[in-house]
Amino acid sequence: MELIIASNNQGKIKEYKDIFEPLGFSVFSQGEKGLHLEVEETGATFAENALLKARAIYDAARCCVISDDSGLEVAALGGEPGIYSARYKGLPTEHDRRMAVLKGLRDQTDRRARFVCCICYIDEAGESRLFQGEWHGVIAPAEAGENGFGYDPIFIADDADGRTTASLPLSFKETHSHRAKAVAQLMAFLNAP
Ligand code: ITT
């Protein structure tokens, strides 16, 4: 089956290809299909934004689409960056945005955080379904590690060994993360192994 990933985020696209290609799916990013859309994320929730992104690509391609709206919620920051994770405080780079989170927690003892991933799947007939996963952990004292993307260098998952997600092999993230949990629900729905 052919799947289009409605995303321009190379980190996400790699994770989806790593998961779905070994199962026999033909996975393309929207860019590989020549769909150079930047959908405005005007929703108030991960689910609303996931739906907006998937619907825009489905309307252009009319085939199976997966979108992913995700982000980091930090308890002591009132849930920020949340749905604004990709553009937190208008800062231009992932490093700048990670530093803003670290700075926001400078005098905080509560470092609890969670990643959230909401997947929207639209089938060939245009029917949409939503799947959501969470990954709980804490914010590290400083950046560490080179793997993954986004906030991975400052996130230490509760079910990891104390290292940041970016310090662990990508295979750990692909079996434990917020995205892995949402994908598992999607797989069950698709009846894939
Ligand atoms: P698309 O909308 O094109 O998919 P995006 O990066 O703008 O790409 P989002 O609006 O969903 O996607 O924002 C997600 C941001 O949340 C992402 O840029 C990271 O900063 C962060 N994020 C999400 N999942 C993550 C993960 O697994 N590891 C680290 N950071 C993550």
Side-chain angles (χ1 to χ4, degrees):
M1 186 165 94
E2 193 165 289
L3 276 180
I4 300 182
I5 310 300
S7 175
N8 293 308
N9 179 315
Q10 296 308 319
K12 284 186 196 175
I13 291 166
K14 173 169 172 36
E15 289 185 24
Y16 281 103
K17 287 195 173 196
D18 284 356
I19 294 166
F20 282 98
E21 281 176 345
L23 299 174
F25 290 90
S26 304
V27 185
F28 301 91
S29 65
Q30 62 179 70
E32 286 169 333
K33 283 285 182 185
L35 301 167
H36 300 291
L37 312 183
E38 193 63 64
V39 179
E40 229 191 309
E41 297 184 25
T42 52
T45 61
F46 292 110
E48 284 175 17
N49 284 333
L51 201 49
L52 284 172
K53 290 190 271 193
R55 187 58 68 189
I57 296 301
Y58 178 81
D59 287 345
R62 301 266 156 195
C63 78
C64 293
V65 173
I66 289 176
S67 72
D68 167 319
D69 202 65
S70 46
L72 178 72
E73 294 183 338
V74 179
L77 301 180
E80 285 186 359
I83 59 167
Y84 304 108
S85 292
R87 45 197 155 120
Y88 187 40
K89 294 187 185 288
L91 293 164
T93 69
E94 291 187 329
H95 169 74
D96 293 340
R97 295 190 282 272
R98 291 191 292 266
M99 294 312 284
V101 170
L102 292 177
K103 192 170 161 208
L105 290 184
R106 213 169 27 204
D107 302 317
Q108 280 290 346
T109 47
D110 178 4
R111 303 188 71 85
R112 285 173 304 138
R114 65 179 176 198
F115 274 126
V116 179
C117 172
C118 185
I119 292 175
C120 178
Y121 168 74
I122 303 189
D123 67 17
E124 277 159 327
E127 287 285 322
S128 62
R129 293 284 297 233
L130 292 163
F131 306 92
Q132 189 156 313
E134 293 182 4
W135 200 19
H136 293 246
V138 293
I139 299 301
E143 291 180 312
E146 304 291 328
N147 299 332
F149 65 96
Y151 298 91
D152 286 337
I154 60 166
F155 184 76
I156 301 174
D158 290 340
D159 53 1
D161 61 3
R163 286 181 287 168
T164 65
T165 304
S167 306
L168 296 166
L170 199 52
S171 56
F172 183 84
K173 187 178 179 193
E174 288 175 357
T175 47
H176 291 75
S177 75
H178 50 313
R179 188 158 295 109
K181 289 172 187 151
V183 164
Q185 295 168 36
L186 169 62
M187 296 283 196
F189 172 73
L190 294 175
N191 241 333

